[in-house]
């Protein structure tokens, strides 16, 4: 009986470690997916739409910043940013700088929950605390300076 319990505990620990390891690896596998959607009339010029989402940018993520900056080389016609761009207020400046090659393009954005709130702790289990205690507002309300700065990425779009 003890042997079976030890084996089961070992299997659970191994699966947990594998999942944790995959999570660490997958977080650094930035991906560009190309999808053709046949909605334009026959013979119409193709339209390239760049959809940016869930960057969860934190301080020091230079590799991720380079990846996002290089998205301009895809030469999109339209940029759609559906939020969750940052995890810390300190990431706003680097995010805007890395998006600068895309600023002259038509585009639109919406904020995600991580753009409004920062994790109160760097420890994931503390972030998942009860009653929302793991989240706190970013310094400076989105209704103020952050919204204004973010909207400059795509002039005239809100």
């Amino acid at each position: 009986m003890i042997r079976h319990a030890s084996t089961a505990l070992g299997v659970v620990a191994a699966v947990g470690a594998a999942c944790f390891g995959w999570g660490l690896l997958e977080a650094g596998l930035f991906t560009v997916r190309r999808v053709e959607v046949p909605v334009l009339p026959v013979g119409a010029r193709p339209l390239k739409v760049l959809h940016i989402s869930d960057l969860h940018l934190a301080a020091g993520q230079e590799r991720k910043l380079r990846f996002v900056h290089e998205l301009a080389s895809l030469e999109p016609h339209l940029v759609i940013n559906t939020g969750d761009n940052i995890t810390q207020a300190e990431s706003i400046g680097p995010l805007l700088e890395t998006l600068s090659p895309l600023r002259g393009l038509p585009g639109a954005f919406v904020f995600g929950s991580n753009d409004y709130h920062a994790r109160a702790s760097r420890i994931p289990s503390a972030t998942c605390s009860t009653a929302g205690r793991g989240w706190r507002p970013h310094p400076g309300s989105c209704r103020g300076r952050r919204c204004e700065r973010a909207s400059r990425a795509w002039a005239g779009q809100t």
Side-chain angles (χ1 to χ4, degrees), residues 2 17 29 34 38 49 59 74 98 101 103 108 141 143 146 151 155:
I2 292 175
L29 298 176
R34 290 174 174 82
V49 178
L74 298 173
T98 203
R103 284 186 186 169
S141 167
R143 300 290 175 235
R146 278 190 333 105
S151 67

Side-chain angles (χ1 to χ4, degrees), residues 38-110:
V39 295
L40 298 175
V42 176
R45 219 177 91 218
L47 177 67
K48 287 187 198 175
V49 178
L50 175 61
H51 176 214
I52 300 172
S53 183
D54 295 290
L55 297 175
H56 298 279
L57 187 63
Q61 293 183 319
E62 299 301 322
R63 196 169 138 260
K64 186 183 289 185
L65 286 169
R66 281 192 306 276
F67 172 80
V68 173
H69 191 270
E70 291 170 5
L71 293 174
S73 68
L74 298 173
E75 300 178 344
H77 299 110
L78 176 69
V79 180
I80 304 296
N81 184 330
T82 53
D84 282 347
N85 292 301
I86 61 172
T87 57
Q88 331 174 283
E90 297 80 20
S91 303
I92 296 169
L95 173 68
L96 292 175
E97 177 64 30
T98 203
L99 291 174
S100 63
L102 300 168
R103 284 186 186 169
L105 300 171
F109 71 92
V110 295

Side-chain angles (χ1 to χ4, degrees), residues 2-27:
I2 292 175
R3 184 174 174 197
H4 292 299
S6 295
T7 301
L9 183 60
V11 168
V12 168
V15 168
C19 289
F20 180 77
W22 173 250
L24 292 176
L25 176 67
E26 193 268 339

